Amino acid sequence: MKRKTAVTIRVFRIDDYDEVLTMWNGAEGLEICEGDSREEIKEYLQRNPGISRVAELNGAVIGAVLCGHDGRRGHIYHLAVSPEYRGRGIARQLVEECFNTLRAAGIRRATILVAGDNSHGHDFWRGSGWEDITGAIAMTREV
């Protein structure tokens, strides 16, 4: 009988960047932009130590999420699971691990941004208890 190997959820390390970036680039509805360079992700992980997570199976990264906080609100970015491993609760495990670290830091609310054309992602987040922010418009500006 073949033994089933369990998925491991662990801290996202900058050494995971290349594998994670490949997965992110293949994820529908996830946009990689200028703020996602190796150096900027490294700085993000250093500012938010031990909060972001990866899911690993047999030494390969199969899921990842960036998570951090500003002292008031938690922020979750770039949640993705490799297509062949979706539907197994891995994304929910990654988010729950993030929530645990946010709670430990005294953070009680988190926000996400979901692309308007990412219906699969929107369905996932709504099905996980997240609410649309009615009356809010996401905005950005170069600094």
Side-chain angles (χ1 to χ4, degrees):
M1 184 164 107
K2 191 173 183 177
R3 186 171 173 226
K4 188 175 180 181
T5 305
V7 172
T8 302
I9 307 295
R10 63 168 175 77
V11 171
F12 186 141
R13 300 181 303 249
I14 195 57
D15 294 346
D16 300 315
Y17 179 81
D18 292 332
E19 275 186 279
V20 169
L21 184 64
T22 298
M23 184 187 52
W24 282 344
N25 278 320
E28 183 181 340
L30 198 153
E31 181 182 340
I32 300 302
C33 61
E34 69 280 348
D36 295 321
S37 70
R38 175 185 288 278
E39 188 58 34
E40 288 164 308
I41 296 297
K42 179 180 179 181
E43 290 171 6
Y44 184 83
L45 296 174
Q46 289 172 341
R47 278 191 306 275
N48 296 279
I51 301 177
S52 297
R53 294 287 191 260
V54 297
E56 192 175 54
L57 181 64
N58 298 323
V61 172
I62 61 166
V65 62
L66 287 175
C67 184
H69 67 84
D70 59 15
R72 182 172 175 268
R73 294 281 185 255
H75 307 283
I76 295 177
Y77 306 98
H78 292 1
L79 173 65
V81 174
S82 296
E84 62 270 28
Y85 297 102
R86 291 183 186 154
R88 300 180 188 190
I90 296 168
R92 292 182 199 281
Q93 285 180 275
L94 287 165
V95 172
E96 190 56 37
E97 288 273 338
C98 289
F99 279 2
N100 290 339
T101 61
L102 291 171
R103 281 187 209 104
I107 305 299
R108 300 289 171 241
R109 181 168 289 277
T111 60
I112 56 172
L113 293 174
V114 180
D117 62 352
N118 184 358
S119 61
H120 176 74
H122 187 244
D123 291 345
F124 168 80
W125 291 108
R126 294 275 304 178
S128 298
W130 290 73
E131 302 170 359
D132 292 325
I133 303 173
T134 55
I137 299 171
M139 299 175 74
T140 187
R141 178 180 172 193
E142 297 297 319
V143 179

